[in-house]
Amino acid sequence: IYAEAHALPYAEEFFDAAISLDAYHYFGTDDLYLGYYSRFVKPGGLLGLVVPGIAREFTEGVPEHLSPYWEPEFWSFHSPEWWRKQWERTGPVDVKHADMVPNGWRHWLTWLEVAGAHGYRSSAEEAEMVRLDAGRNLGFTRLVARKR
């Protein structure tokens, strides 16, 4: 189903679980979104995400080695702790797990390289940014929560 994230065509409490891969950061940073999204999951069901993220929030600005590559949309990348706090304060869930995917930066880089080599949307600049960072800051954040 191709649908707008704020107009999902599902019945409330329809799913046992809802998982978002590489998308939730585009719409889920809105304080109101988790309340909406979690309506589709049964009580006791699981919600999860894996999204591009950063190991720690950039409170002092973007690290120097990343700044030549940094795009405004990258400010949607957040740390596991940021997502944990966001979900715990805005939604009817208990966060069970929040961390960085081990070697997530390598998976990100591999995807960019393979996509580019096969004609899919990719970015040589983004690949260079991920390569230069080598997992110091960038990777994939993952979160799992249970609906109350």
Side-chain angles (χ1 to χ4, degrees):
I1 293 176
Y2 181 82
E4 208 300 312
H6 294 86
L8 297 174
Y10 305 114
E12 290 191 17
E13 299 183 357
F14 182 78
F15 295 105
D16 294 320
I19 301 165
S20 178
L21 302 175
D22 196 23
Y24 197 90
H25 60 297
Y26 291 117
F27 44 82
T29 58
D30 177 345
D31 288 344
L32 304 177
Y33 192 75
L34 182 59
Y36 168 73
Y37 186 61
S38 65
R39 292 186 341 205
F40 303 112
V41 177
K42 296 173 184 173
L46 297 175
L47 292 97
L49 64 78
V50 176
V51 292
I54 52 179
R56 290 160 302 286
E57 292 300 305
F58 296 155
T59 57
E60 303 295 320
V62 177
E64 188 175 326
H65 70 285
L66 298 177
S67 64
Y69 307 95
W70 200 256
E71 299 288 334
E73 70 185 45
F74 296 163
W75 285 111
S76 68
F77 301 166
H78 290 288
S79 67
E81 191 57 30
W82 187 94
W83 280 109
R84 175 188 291 280
K85 288 177 183 175
Q86 179 74 357
W87 277 27
E88 286 177 342
R89 73 183 178 91
T90 64
V93 299
D94 295 313
V95 175
K96 300 299 183 186
H97 188 85
D99 71 352
M100 296 295 284
V101 172
N103 294 309
W105 75 275
R106 292 182 190 274
H107 303 305
W108 188 347
L109 181 59
T110 298
W111 166 251
L112 290 167
E113 291 172 344
V114 169
H118 294 280
Y120 293 96
R121 191 174 79 83
S122 186
S123 166
E125 293 81 13
E126 185 177 330
E128 183 62 18
M129 176 183 72
V130 173
R131 188 177 299 108
L132 284 172
D133 185 67
R136 288 180 280 172
N137 299 282
L138 302 172
F140 284 109
T141 296
R142 68 180 164 190
L143 199 72
V144 178
R146 184 170 305 280
K147 184 174 175 184
R148 290 187 209 112

